[in-house]
Amino acid sequence: MSRAASLAAATPASRDRYVDFLRAFSIAVVVLGHWLMASVTFDASGFHAGNALASMPWLQRATWVLQVMPVFFFVGGFAHLVTYDSVRGRGGRYVHFVHGRLARLLRPVSVLLAVWVPLTLLLSPSARVTKLVVQLLWFLGVYVLMVALAPVTIRAHRRWGWRVPLAFGLAAVAIDVAAFRFGASGLRWVNVVPVWLLAHQLGYFYGSLTRRHGLALAGSGLAALVGLTAWGPYPTSMVGMPGEKVSNMAPPTVCIVALTLWLVGLVVLARPVVTRWLARPRVWTAVVALNGVIMTVFLWHLTALLLAVFVLLPRGWFPQPAVGSGLWWATRPLWFAILVLVLGGLVAIFGRLERPAPVAYAPSPSRTPVALQASAVAGVALVAVGVLGLAMVGLSDMVDRSASLVVVTVTPLGSLLNVAAGAYLLRRPVRTP
């Protein structure tokens, strides 16, 4: 019996399988969405990349269901609440919670960088290629911040309940009003915090959300999306589009708040039906298997795309019809099948390295030493700055290439050092007797 089948068979009856499904489903949708949007062609002058949604504007509204990052943050909120209570119940403290949540993220990131950094140095891939490979790390950088703030937001949830996500939503609205109405465009990046915290905070309510809540969330979110994109300064697409003055994702706008309400509402409404479906052994085994390598799938799916493009297109082994044409759509299933095979090979190689070995720790004293707390906080900050920096600048031109991350100047080399130092600081407190 495979490991996934064994784990699936041993699943306790008390486990909420729907949460695991949502985690796997959201990443799978992101992967397929990226593969669909990526429009790459090859001719005598080289490779040319574009966005298929730009050629098919009518399809941009599909991002209202395909841009599922809010669902991942929503599920993350629930997972962090459960894990935090478990860690506290076993005598652990903040340092143990942070290490436990981030170890699963940092291990596959380290594997990706261990492959791509030497590859970049040896083969000198273009800056555009290396940035494409690591641009996915923006999501992990924000997620690290959600983990770091989880103990605070959990306490806020238990004290103020619905008033917390409401405050985050109002903050996002206020920032957008200041940016678009009063010209304070520099404030827009501040919305990274309240917008994604709102999605994460809603996850704390997962167990108490009913069908009535689902209808209210989905209805209000959809109505807001329609109104904001029809009469506001916001584009229809919930992903960035080439040439557009405003992106709803980078930085996030209040449209992502509306999208979060809409998608969380749909998630709540679909829960009874999908939960019954997950009772089937084969279905549940597939979910368990995907969750076991979920970060590997996410981090390597664009590498799989690049490998397929660089091998197949220059040799004429795959047709290059006009984007949106009948032949283009007809060849998408075959294209996806090829990408799945390539990604499957990468997962077979690197997926086994994803799950870290469990770290046992003795119960901490009633007050965690200040030095250990400071080490954990510094580690989280360094990892967040490091992965966000890599997402901005890529891996080429290690020292000379730079960008501004809020008030910090980041380079590829500096970002790599920040990730390494942060990972060390996060692991050190757990190993300290």
Side-chain angles (χ1 to χ4, degrees), residues 50-415:
N51 190 320
L53 295 184
S55 304
M56 298 178 287
W58 58 270
L59 195 56
Q60 293 179 19
R61 206 171 295 275
T63 60
W64 293 15
V65 291
L66 295 178
Q67 176 49 280
V68 292
M69 275 303 170
V71 175
F72 195 90
F73 281 101
F74 171 72
V75 173
F78 173 75
H80 295 156
L81 176 64
V82 172
T83 303
Y84 181 73
D85 287 344
S86 174
V87 169
R88 295 283 292 182
R90 290 181 287 129
R93 292 293 184 265
Y94 178 79
V95 292
H96 305 112
F97 166 76
V98 172
H99 172 269
R101 296 311 295 168
L102 295 186
R104 180 74 187 272
L105 299 179
L106 291 178
R107 191 176 177 91
V109 169
S110 300
V111 173
L112 178 76
L113 296 177
V115 173
W116 268 100
V117 168
L119 189 64
T120 302
L121 295 175
L122 290 173
L123 304 180
S124 300
S126 70
R128 189 172 185 178
V129 168
T130 62
K131 189 174 181 181
L132 175 68
V133 170
V134 296
Q135 71 179 6
L136 300 168
L137 295 181
W138 76 264
F139 148 72
L140 294 181
V142 176
Y143 199 77
V144 167
L145 294 177
M146 301 298 105
V147 172
L149 295 173
V152 176
T153 56
I154 288 171
R155 286 195 291 270
H157 163 72
R158 287 173 169 157
R159 182 170 182 178
W160 293 300
W162 281 100
R163 284 173 284 183
V164 181
L166 178 61
F168 289 145
L170 292 176
V173 171
I175 291 169
D176 267 17
V177 169
F180 291 104
R181 181 151 188 132
F182 300 109
S185 58
L187 284 176
R188 288 194 59 211
W189 282 102
V190 177
N191 249 346
V192 168
V193 177
V195 167
W196 295 118
L197 274 176
L198 182 144
H200 186 265
Q201 197 78 15
L202 288 178
Y204 299 155
F205 296 90
Y206 170 81
S208 61
L209 294 175
T210 65
R211 177 177 173 80
R212 180 171 57 87
H213 293 126
L215 289 170
L217 289 169
S220 59
L222 181 59
L225 274 176
V226 172
L228 289 168
T229 56
W231 298 294
Y234 307 102
T236 300
S237 175
M238 293 299 116
V239 299
M241 299 298 299
E244 284 190 332
K245 295 180 179 180
V246 175
S247 167
N248 280 319
M249 276 294 290
T253 68
V254 73
C255 278
I256 302 302
V257 172
L259 179 71
T260 298
L261 300 181
W262 157 243
L263 292 178
V264 169
L266 292 183
V267 162
V268 173
L269 294 174
R271 181 165 53 189
V273 174
V274 177
T275 298
R276 289 193 294 271
W277 182 59
L278 292 171
R280 300 179 180 181
R282 289 185 178 180
V283 174
W284 178 236
T285 300
V287 172
V288 171
L290 182 54
N291 269 297
V293 291
I294 195 68
M295 291 311 304
T296 303
V297 168
F298 177 72
L299 291 172
W300 287 91
H301 77 275
L302 290 182
T303 299
L305 174 66
L306 291 174
L307 286 172
V309 164
F310 289 155
V311 170
L312 298 179
L313 297 191
R315 293 165 176 79
W317 291 350
F318 198 86
Q320 301 182 62
V323 174
S325 65
L327 181 58
W328 186 85
W329 281 109
T331 56
R332 288 315 89 187
L334 177 58
W335 182 238
F336 286 166
I338 292 171
L339 296 180
V340 167
L341 287 175
V342 177
L343 180 58
L346 294 172
V347 170
I349 297 170
F350 302 113
R352 70 190 68 181
L353 304 174
E354 175 166 332
R355 187 175 295 276
V359 177
Y361 54 86
S364 301
S366 59
R367 183 179 297 276
T368 303
V370 174
L372 297 186
Q373 290 277 38
S375 179
V377 171
V380 169
L382 287 171
V383 168
V385 171
V387 294
L388 288 172
L390 289 173
M392 293 184 67
V393 297
L395 295 173
S396 63
D397 301 323
M398 282 286 175
V399 178
D400 297 331
R401 189 174 182 81
S402 65
S404 178
L405 177 62
V406 191
V407 295
V408 179
T409 299
V410 293
T411 65
L413 179 59
S415 297

